[in-house]
Amino acid sequence: MSDSVAVVATHAVPAHHEELGFWRTYVFSTDHKMIGRQFLFLGFFMLVLGGLMAMMIRWELAWPETAVPGLRWLPEPYAYEGIIPPQTYNMLFTIHATLMIFFVVMPIMVGCFGNFLIPLMIGARDMAFPTLNMLSFWVGLLAGLVMLAGFFVPGGHAAAGWTAYAPLSAKAAYTGVNWGQNLWIISLLILGVSSLMGSINYITTIVNMRAPGMSYFRMPLIIWSLFITAVLLLLALPVLTAALAMLLFDRALGTSFFLPEGGGEPLLWQHLFWFFGHPEVYVLVLPAMGVTSDILSTFSRKPVFGYHAMAFSMIAIAFLSWIVWGHHMFVSGMNPLMGTAFMMSTMVIAIPSAIKTFNWLGTLWRGSIRFTSPMLFALGFVSNFLIGGLSGIFMASTPVDIFIHDTYYIVAHFHYVVAGIIFALFASVYYWFPKMFGRMMNEPLAKIHFVLTYIFFNATFFPMHILGVGGHMRRIYNPTQYDFLHPLQPINVFITVSALLLGLSQITFVTNFFWSLFGGKKAERNPWKANTLEWAAPSPPPHGNFDALPVVYRGPYEYSSPEVEDDYLPQNRPLITQSSAPRTH
Amino acid sequence: MARGTTVRKIIEVQASEELKIPSFDGGGPPSSPIASAEPTVSNARLAVLMFLAAEAMFFAGLIGAFIVFRLSSSAWPPPFQPRLPVTVTGVNTVILLLSGLTMQLALRAVRAGKSEGLIWHLLATVLLGGIFLGIQGYEWVRLIQYGLTVWSGIYGATFYTLVGCHGLHVLGAVLWLTVVLIQARQGRFTAERCTGVETCSMYWTFVVGLWPILYGLVYLY
Ligand SMILES: [Cu+2]
């Protein structure tokens, strides 16, 4: 009943827009939704590359110095008859991390969903600066191409780890890599420009372009998280840019900022890098937290528990992220007193993180939970984030960290946090696919995808904790060279088999995605019966998004409100009580 | 469909009708429409503010690095390194600060609708900025002749990086100003439509305001 009313209300004259040619529609588009889709496909492409690199790394760790099946075509010196040499191995883990952080999670969670969702969810027709938005994608793509070009230069790609610690990264002689490392630096400098344009656009749009009635505290939490993420990106990436510029000067101009023999300070690189690096972690994880809050609320049919606490805890996390960078440097030779200070500040982050986790549980508590595929993946994110957050407390305390630093324990920790974002990523794709492409994804296949991914993800990353406590160092080429690691080798094999299966499980997703893109059931406007504004627009929304600009009357999480018969109450639906009107006079 | 009279029903309402806003969390009438009203800070100015915040963090990174090196070395400048031209650069600092003043006067002129004053003050700003760059370039050439280079040690490296990055920003600002000057001569700005001058003056003020900090750190400290 009320549904038909809502449809009537929104079925006004379709938004007028002139037809654009192929190039303006799909390639050089200034439409925020198309730019979002472009970022999505860029991210997926890089995800495949980064994932394949992870498989090669795992093969090497389980069956060291044996030929990787299907890699015999790789030319020397990258591989010898399919056997990966140490130099290639170093390249692989460096670029695996770089791609996953800068070219998968950032383009998809921030670039794609930021672009797609911000104007739709705040009730705007587009971003504040559409041309800048388009440039942000193309500059980002250029950065990606420069990064991939590193594989094709003499000496191969950067091999100093994604953290590019100096002096290893500051002198070509140390890794034998000259142009690979230079291109790595240049690519990230270019990406800094792209991210700057994006974050300026996001902040301006959220501050100035909200629909009537959309106050800050009526914004969905995903918009809050993207807003805070944009601020972090805006302020953190320039510091990396400064550090990268100095590193490039060291390599190309012969300065010695980070080279001790010239009076430089290698630790300075670590300070600058992690001053950027820790906020960067929250750039990656905050949008995941945001979508999780939205999806848990929608499919529990309940308001988010503690909306304000959720928003403020994200702000608190963002503030704290500036004063904790030293927790990456406990064993670097830094003053131990500073280590203690950084330990304290890091522990404080547990408070807002715990507020978020408990509020997620509070949202679920006694809700009418619908186990749809977005919900399952969101729950998967929460459970993995919990494990990653708890192992982080161990890493944060100096006495424990000295023991487990640079072991597989840290590899387990950051994969539970950062690779765990893939669950929020899949949740977002399954949730917003109908809005993005106008078709539904196949639900049974999505559930199979979740079960396989969840099992093999944990089978891959959980045993790494055991390896780490057993003393297995990270970034080593051949664990069998160390006698004390021999008893742990079966675990390495188990992890590799799980990782390969995790990779294979993604075929279900790829099939589902591309099949649904062309053959999925046509999606209605609001297939999930959700409240936020994007569901008031057609699926997919036309140029200009809304038939008429929405007016917002309430917060985004009015599920099971006693005001209405339905269990949802969209933000833009005006209410009037029939009984009160005639009686008052 | 028969229901008790007290049962509430949803019906579509026109915006003019009285609305009953539910009290169930997050209620309250819609605030004034943002889209139609002027935002407190316009899109363009907000964007430039963001950009300047990012620029400030970039320089904070470089300045942080400089302070680390400055504090960890016992003798600064290190022995056998040429001294920096403190006096000439001091005069140059005054020139750049003057250009900040003329920029403000240009902004005032355009807001008062005086296009003549805008053009002359913009021209003065461009010239002062150009003189600053010229003197900086001349001093660089002399310092290189005296043997201060980027690879001659951390002293030279930090000097050229910090001062060079600032110089590049001044160069960018001068180019931007030149574009604004040309637009001003074409009569593009009025008292109501002067965002181009405003945003450029924000950037110029940042570049001018940054210099005394760098001068104090690099030349005097
Ligand atoms: Cu950290």
Side-chain angles (χ1 to χ4, degrees), chain A residues 1-2 5-6 8-9 128-129 196 199-200 203-205 207-215 218 234-236 238-239 241-243 245-246 249 253-258 262-265 268 272 275 303-304 307-308 322 549 551-555 557-566 569 573-580 583, chain B residues 1 3-15 17-37 39-66 68-69 72 150-154 156-162 165:
Chain A
M1 170 68 204
S2 56
V5 170
V8 169
F129 306 106
L196 178 67
S199 48
I200 287 177
I203 296 171
T204 311
T205 307
V207 171
N208 275 352
M209 311 268 287
R210 282 166 290 129
M214 179 62 87
S215 58
R218 280 181 185 168
L234 181 80
L235 300 178
V239 180
T241 303
M246 287 191 265
F249 292 161
L253 298 184
T255 58
S256 42
F257 287 110
F258 306 121
E265 188 66 78
L268 177 66
L272 289 172
F275 185 77
V304 156
Y307 170 86
H308 283 80
W322 296 104
L549 266 189
V551 176
V552 176
Y553 296 94
R554 61 189 66 79
Y557 302 115
E558 302 290 306
Y559 293 104
S560 308
S561 159
E563 302 284 335
V564 285
E565 294 164 51
D566 297 307
L569 180 50
R573 185 185 295 170
L575 282 187
I576 186 169
T577 53
Q578 230 178 18
S579 53
S580 70
R583 272 194 196 175
Chain B
M1 220 37 223
R3 317 188 60 153
T5 45
T6 49
V7 173
R8 295 176 189 142
K9 274 177 73 182
I10 310 165
I11 57 166
E12 264 322 297
V13 287
Q14 299 300 315
E17 284 183 51
E18 189 194 348
L19 298 175
K20 201 257 173 203
I21 303 300
S23 53
F24 180 73
D25 187 30
S31 51
S32 65
I34 297 165
S36 55
T40 330
V41 186
S42 72
N43 284 0
R45 297 181 62 177
L46 190 60
V48 175
L49 272 180
M50 300 294 147
F51 178 62
L52 295 183
E55 290 275 45
M57 288 306 286
F58 173 75
F59 277 100
L62 293 182
I63 290 172
F66 172 82
V68 166
F69 291 122
S72 61
V150 282
W151 53 86
S152 68
I154 209 69
T158 50
F159 170 79
Y160 285 113
T161 307
L162 262 179
C165 276

